[in-house]
Amino acid sequence: MTRKKRRLYMLGLALLGLGAATALTLTAFQDNIVFFYSPSQLQTQQVGDRNFRLGGLVEQGSVRKLTDGVTTEFRVTDTAHTIDVRYRGQLPDLFREGQGVVAEGKLTGGVFVAREVLAKHDETYMPPEVSEALKQAGVYKNPAEGKTAANTNAPPAATKKE
Amino acid sequence: MHRFANPARFLRLSALLLPWTAGATVILLIAGLYLSLFGSPPDYQQGDTVRIMYIHVPAAWMSLFVYTNMAIAAAAGLVWKHPLADLFAKAAAPIGAGFTLICLVTGSLWGAPMWGTWWVWDARLTSVLILFFLYLGYMALVNAFDDPQRGARAGDVLLLVGIVNVPIIKFSVDWWNTLHQPASVVRMGGPTIDSSMLIPLLVMAVGFTTYFITVVILRLRAELAQRKIQTLRFSVAGDGATG
Amino acid sequence: MTEFFAMGGYAAFVWPAYGLAALVLIGLLAVSLKGLREAEATVRALEGVRTPRRRARAAHSHTTHSHTDSPHTAPSSAPGLPGKASEG
């Protein structure tokens, strides 16, 4: 009994120590684990001239294809702050207004020039008919659209949520 | 607890259980495949690629479930010296590695069209890759010792150290900014998946679980037979020496 | 039907995902079954060597129940109370 108990306590203590060490390490490297910065974080974060990733929602009504056919301009927002993005190249299938996006590149004169644009989807899954029905009933708002309520382009009726 | 760790009792119980888990696996996976491919709608944003979810998400759950069970067995092996605990971990490891591989590759096949990339080093994807290496490392370590007892001890320690990765995988999408989206099913406030998609997902998940039970029983019986072979070889050699 | 296989233009991603899952799961099952059969065959062979010939037949029926139940023989042996038989 005592030997088993002692082994059990030892194991518990070892796991506790391991967990604490891991938590401390992860907290210390918090900034390196973050995959992207939001526009608000960029207000305080010094990024300088280096490459980084910018994440947020594609603002409603902000996507513009330039006349050259391959360059797209849009605004990335986290509802509090907004950043202009320019990107030359193929966009992922899920790229659309109101959806999440993560772009890699650097800030050049206030505009974020992206080398790569990835789409980030949210955790909601439903059939198209359900989405339509919910929109009609006014119960459901596309969560992405809901978050851009601050966006002046969105009609007031569409900003009502839940 | 020791009653269930008795090998003879395990052999008897598992023989009774096996036809039921095997039958349930066949029925659940056929039903799950039908629901995933025919009986569920495309997603309002992701179209038919959402069908990859019915493989990807259950495989991801299983990769964590199997590892957690192996770590519990490792603790039981170290603390209580259960005769079956180490054999269970050894038998389960290739199945867990298989589920993790399925999770990684199907995730890649899903990410390519939807995210626009096969792979990114965000916290979720990286921590799942570490889980895959933990499985491979465990299998290599256990087999690297001539004395199976010492191999099992070393493997137990690795499994218990690696358990910190399990909560990291689960909560990585909440703790840090990731490209991977947050949890849809096991989350505060209930699932955010329409029931027409949640049902196929759950049927597949239960089918994967019964598959795991079936195959782990087969592998455990093989491990026990291997152990018996060792003692028989020993006694045959002994008989030869005396006779 | 072709529409079904096209998967809304995502066939190149959906079908490999299902194919790989099937390959891994069926492969793992096959390898595990093969390993079990081979190990049990070795056990039988070794037990045959160890037991003197005149006792071999009795010993054979005595041990097979507890250690060589393959998934195919398991259902048929279940009504016969294999536990009792192997303990007796």
Side-chain angles (χ1 to χ4, degrees):
Chain A
M1 172 206 167
T2 47
R3 280 180 64 184
K4 275 176 191 167
K5 268 242 167 81
R6 202 172 63 221
R7 286 203 295 262
L8 187 60
Y9 284 132
M10 293 271 284
L11 181 70
L13 276 176
L15 282 179
L16 215 64
L18 185 69
T22 314
L24 285 173
T25 314
L26 290 176
T27 316
F29 289 100
Q30 184 85 16
D31 285 350
N32 301 57
I33 299 168
V34 164
F35 188 64
F36 59 82
Y37 296 115
S38 67
S40 292
Q41 284 171 314
L42 282 181
Q43 306 299 314
T44 52
Q45 195 85 25
Q46 281 300 327
V47 285
D49 200 27
R50 65 182 175 90
N51 265 306
F52 65 96
R53 292 195 196 85
L54 167 72
L57 297 163
V58 181
E59 198 176 74
Q60 288 291 340
S62 76
V63 177
R64 237 162 27 93
K65 265 264 194 269
L66 296 196
T67 44
D68 67 354
V70 287
T71 308
T72 316
E73 283 186 343
F74 54 93
R75 284 195 297 278
V76 168
T77 179
D78 59 3
T79 73
H81 293 93
T82 309
I83 284 180
D84 288 316
V85 179
R86 189 184 307 129
Y87 173 64
R88 250 178 88 90
Q90 176 91 41
L91 291 162
D93 293 4
L94 208 59
F95 179 90
R96 55 199 70 160
E97 291 181 356
Q99 280 282 318
V101 74
V102 175
E104 194 193 347
K106 58 173 102 177
L107 274 172
T108 320
V111 177
F112 186 84
V113 180
R115 290 188 312 153
E116 188 181 32
V117 171
L118 305 177
K120 176 175 159 66
H121 58 85
D122 60 33
E123 66 275 31
T124 319
Y125 300 86
M126 67 176 95
E129 311 85 68
V130 174
S131 163
E132 276 310 308
L134 286 175
K135 263 182 201 155
Q136 300 232 310
V139 184
Y140 170 80
K141 275 283 305 107
N142 186 333
E145 290 168 16
K147 284 181 209 146
T148 56
N151 175 9
T152 45
N153 290 338
T159 58
K160 180 176 68 192
K161 200 184 171 196
E162 270 141 22
Chain B
M1 275 301 268
H2 258 296
R3 277 184 304 152
F4 299 103
N6 178 330
R9 188 178 291 259
F10 165 77
L11 285 167
R12 239 180 305 130
L13 280 175
S14 66
L16 288 174
L17 202 61
L18 207 46
W20 294 99
T21 59
T25 305
V26 171
I27 292 166
L28 283 164
L29 289 186
I30 288 174
L33 279 175
Y34 173 79
L35 288 170
S36 308
L37 294 169
F38 301 92
S40 60
D43 182 60
Y44 77 124
Q45 293 286 353
Q46 308 196 45
D48 280 311
T49 60
V50 78
R51 300 188 196 286
I52 298 174
M53 173 175 75
Y54 306 126
I55 302 284
H56 173 77
V57 172
W61 287 343
M62 289 310 290
S63 70
L64 294 175
F65 173 76
V66 173
Y67 191 91
T68 308
N69 278 300
M70 284 167 64
I72 292 169
L78 282 178
V79 175
W80 292 283
K81 313 270 185 213
H82 275 194
L84 273 178
D86 295 331
L87 289 183
F88 169 82
K90 200 179 167 205
I95 314 172
F99 280 124
T100 316
L101 181 70
I102 292 173
C103 170
L104 286 168
V105 177
T106 56
S108 213
L109 286 163
W110 195 3
M114 288 297 108
W115 294 347
T117 183
W118 297 93
W119 183 265
V120 290
W121 293 101
D122 82 348
R124 170 56 76 81
L125 276 66
T126 309
S127 55
V128 174
L129 187 67
I130 290 172
L131 179 71
F132 185 56
F133 290 145
L134 277 172
Y135 276 118
L136 297 186
Y138 170 80
M139 289 191 278
L141 187 64
V142 167
N143 291 317
F145 287 82
D146 288 331
D147 176 7
Q149 206 75 42
R150 287 183 58 204
R153 289 288 154 270
D156 287 348
V157 173
L158 177 67
L159 285 176
L160 287 169
V161 170
I163 193 73
V164 292
N165 195 30
V166 170
I168 291 177
I169 291 176
K170 169 69 186 140
F171 297 109
S172 54
V173 287
D174 302 323
W175 291 342
W176 303 291
N177 289 337
T178 53
L179 185 60
H180 196 287
Q181 73 283 4
S184 298
V185 181
V186 187
R187 67 190 283 279
M188 305 274 283
T192 53
I193 298 188
D194 188 78
S195 60
S196 60
M197 296 165 164
L198 186 59
I199 290 164
L201 185 63
L202 295 179
V203 171
M204 287 297 270
V206 181
F208 276 18
T209 310
T210 56
Y211 169 90
F212 167 69
I213 297 170
T214 307
V215 178
V216 88
I217 286 176
L218 293 176
R219 298 186 69 86
L220 251 174
R221 294 178 76 91
E223 289 289 340
L224 283 169
Q226 290 293 352
R227 219 171 57 167
K228 187 158 194 213
I229 289 168
Q230 298 227 307
T231 53
L232 282 174
R233 284 235 165 89
F234 191 72
S235 73
V236 166
D239 285 354
T242 54
Chain C
M1 204 60 189
T2 38
E3 197 184 319
F4 168 70
F5 283 111
M7 278 289 153
Y10 293 114
F13 302 99
V14 175
W15 294 118
Y18 280 80
L20 173 97
L23 198 74
V24 170
L25 294 185
I26 293 169
L28 211 53
L29 176 69
V31 168
S32 305
L33 267 177
K34 186 164 168 282
L36 178 63
R37 295 239 171 86
E38 284 171 359
E40 283 174 341
T42 315
V43 169
R44 273 195 299 274
L46 283 172
E47 281 176 340
V49 169
R50 194 185 55 166
T51 7
R53 186 149 290 173
R54 59 184 182 280
R55 271 173 33 209
R57 194 173 293 157
H60 187 70
S61 64
H62 176 80
T63 48
T64 40
H65 272 301
S66 57
H67 294 292
T68 57
D69 281 345
S70 76
H72 302 291
T73 59
S76 59
S77 69
L81 291 171
K84 287 264 162 56
S86 63
E87 274 170 2

